[in-house]
Amino acid sequence: MTYKEALKKGRELLEKAGLEEASTDAWLLLQHRTGISRSQYFLRERDEVQPDQETQYFDDLARRKRHIPLQHITGVQEFMGLEFMVNEDVLIPRQDTECVVEEAVKYLQDDMKVLDMCTGSGCIVISLADAARQKRFRNMEFTGADISEKALRVSGFNAEKLQADVTFVQSDLFENVTGQFDLIVSNPPYIRTDVIEELQDEVKLHDPYIALDGKSDGLFFYRRMVEEAGRHLHPKGRLLFEIGFDQGKAVSGLMEKAGYTEIVVKKDLAGLDRVVSGVYN
Ligand code: GLN
């Protein structure tokens, strides 16, 4: 089968299975298995795909048809221009979360200690460490915390692969976290339990449930972190959260009530509230 035929067949198979991005998905799987780039494809579309690669490609398509996320098949997700390894133990990094990194980067300075709570794949803290290195900040310390040991295996792997100097700690929120920080960032589970049922199969069946579930009102982890972060923030330290599109008011309210000041809500590319942060006094 030629590259062109393989791509067409792949797209048709995925379209039939009702996948919205059939064309893109088929292309990415073909690229994943054969290593062909877009420009090579246009030169070589009439060449034969190697038989073993063809077999693997059709196996991948069969998995994708069952709504297994593309990233669990390819094993990677790009985030902030870096390639992160992902599996079913971590939430697949979302583009929305790049807003968290972009906002947090504005607050980086020399000599800062930064904590990423609920680090998952490590995408936030590793991107921040990478940005700090590029901007030549000095004497910074980065820590990632997560309750899941399996997630920490992924974040540890990613830090090593991307040569980011990050320390990881297994901890139920602040339980095993010691010391104080200048910036605490977090993308905690924030989906209301009753809403999880309505999410796409890719998300509700394949992202870790504990990475999604924000309990009955979705605010469980914000409440606990707003309460407990003070003990781990230097005076004037900042707490910065990713939030769901409808949680801006509630989360900034929690921070205000706990005495945080300079509270800012930032929107994502779709114009929806996505980041809230405030300064601890
Ligand atoms: N943004 C993710 C989603 O919509 C949820 C991530 C989270 O709960 N932190 O699926």
Side-chain angles (χ1 to χ4, degrees), residues 4-56:
K4 191 173 180 172
E5 287 161 350
L7 190 57
K8 181 164 176 276
K9 187 88 186 111
R11 190 187 63 227
E12 287 167 0
L13 281 172
L14 297 183
E15 268 168 3
K16 245 193 243 151
L19 288 154
E20 277 171 30
E21 309 280 334
S23 196
T24 313
D25 288 4
W27 164 252
L28 290 171
L29 290 175
L30 186 67
Q31 186 175 47
H32 168 64
R33 280 306 174 188
T34 65
I36 196 169
S37 69
R38 280 229 180 251
S39 49
Q40 281 171 337
Y41 174 82
F42 288 110
L43 296 171
R44 296 181 50 197
E45 60 182 6
R46 282 167 213 287
D47 291 358
E48 293 285 316
V49 179
Q50 281 178 33
D52 58 326
Q53 292 181 347
E54 185 182 311
T55 309
Q56 289 172 328

